[in-house]
Amino acid sequence: TPPLLRWLAAWPALLSGVNAPDPAPAVALPLDVRYWVYGDQFLRANFASYHHYFLLGRLALIPISCVGVWIAYRFARGLNGSPIAGIAACALYALCPNIAAHASLVGTDAASAVAILAATWLWWRFCRAATSSSLSLSSSSSCWKRGLLAALAIALAHLCKFYAVLLWPMTALMAGCYAFV
């Protein structure tokens, strides 16, 4: 996986003064064991505060899942036009067992789902603005801003997980639907 989410989870520990061992000996090892060896070195170097640093890493990723709840609400409300649809999507997202199980882990799955959801939502907003901006010149600058924001969100999703490459066929299909409708 790309390193963005792991770096984000590591920042609170780094800012609180963690003792990070030199990674050079572990990098020389085969790929299937290097992370386990380095993790063991990290545990030994920070044994007294290990759980504190681990908790800090977990707390760093929880706000991302909270943003996912907000995006689910906004996306569903925008699609349906009803706040009730937004609340239903928000509830389904928040009560999803996979999100509940992975949101606070120092892993990339829940945060990657949020990044891909954000990219999809922003791309949908761009496609919708692009079709309506052809009617008025004043909204074309807003369309470009939405396009730039969507492109940044897609790039961010790629920095979270490699399977974000699946966004490309989806964005092409969505753009095609809006172009021919």
Side-chain angles (χ1 to χ4, degrees):
T1 59
L4 179 66
L5 295 172
R6 290 178 291 180
W7 285 348
L8 183 64
W11 272 107
L14 288 173
L15 293 175
S16 66
V18 70
N19 180 12
D22 181 27
V27 171
L29 296 172
L31 188 60
D32 60 336
V33 296
R34 77 172 60 156
Y35 298 109
W36 294 104
V37 170
Y38 186 78
D40 188 51
Q41 290 172 354
F42 182 86
L43 172 66
R44 292 176 195 277
N46 299 287
F47 190 75
S49 304
Y50 180 74
H51 289 288
H52 173 71
Y53 295 134
F54 195 77
L55 179 65
L56 288 176
R58 291 180 77 166
L59 289 175
L61 295 178
I62 291 174
I64 296 173
S65 290
C66 294
V67 169
V69 170
W70 178 77
I71 293 170
Y73 171 79
R74 294 286 310 258
F75 198 176
R77 192 182 90 189
L79 282 171
N80 192 310
S82 166
I84 294 173
I87 291 170
C90 180
L92 287 172
Y93 180 91
L95 297 174
C96 174
N98 286 324
I99 297 297
H102 293 99
S104 68
L105 296 179
V106 181
T108 58
D109 294 328
S112 298
V114 172
I116 290 171
L117 178 64
T120 305
W121 173 56
L122 292 170
W123 181 255
W124 170 77
R125 289 183 64 210
F126 165 70
C127 289
R128 194 176 65 173
T131 56
S132 65
S133 71
S134 62
L135 302 175
S136 73
L137 266 98
S138 63
S139 63
S140 66
S141 70
S142 172
C143 180
W144 283 105
K145 289 176 187 175
R146 286 185 181 194
L148 180 62
L149 197 58
L152 289 173
I154 291 170
L156 185 68
H158 283 294
L159 291 173
C160 293
K161 202 75 160 177
F162 286 132
Y163 64 70
V165 73
L166 296 174
L167 282 168
W168 292 106
M170 184 272 311
T171 55
L173 181 65
M174 196 181 301
C177 287
Y178 273 95
F180 296 115
V181 174

